Amino acid sequence: MGGLLAVFGGFFALQGAGIVMWPPESFMLANRNWIANGAIIGATGVLVLGAGLTIPRRHDAG
């Protein structure tokens, strides 16, 4: 889940920066607010991914 958030956050930031201009009907294209929004979403994804990798899992018997 964290990896997916990180990928989509990066995609949103690139759309906001006007680097990725797809899909053409997106309201995020060249909208600078989405650079920050995408960065926040991507950073959240990295944190979720990192937490998932560092929190030990409980192994149930059976």
Side-chain angles (χ1 to χ4, degrees):
M1 186 64 165
L4 193 61
L5 275 173
V7 168
F8 275 99
F11 182 70
F12 296 161
L14 291 173
Q15 280 185 318
I19 296 169
V20 174
M21 298 299 281
W22 180 86
E25 64 275 359
S26 177
F27 62 91
M28 293 186 264
L29 300 179
N31 181 342
R32 296 205 175 265
N33 293 330
W34 280 97
I35 298 172
N37 292 345
I40 292 167
I41 293 167
T44 302
V46 170
L47 290 173
V48 169
L49 187 60
L53 294 175
T54 58
I55 295 174
R57 295 182 182 166
R58 193 178 96 188
H59 296 283
D60 292 329

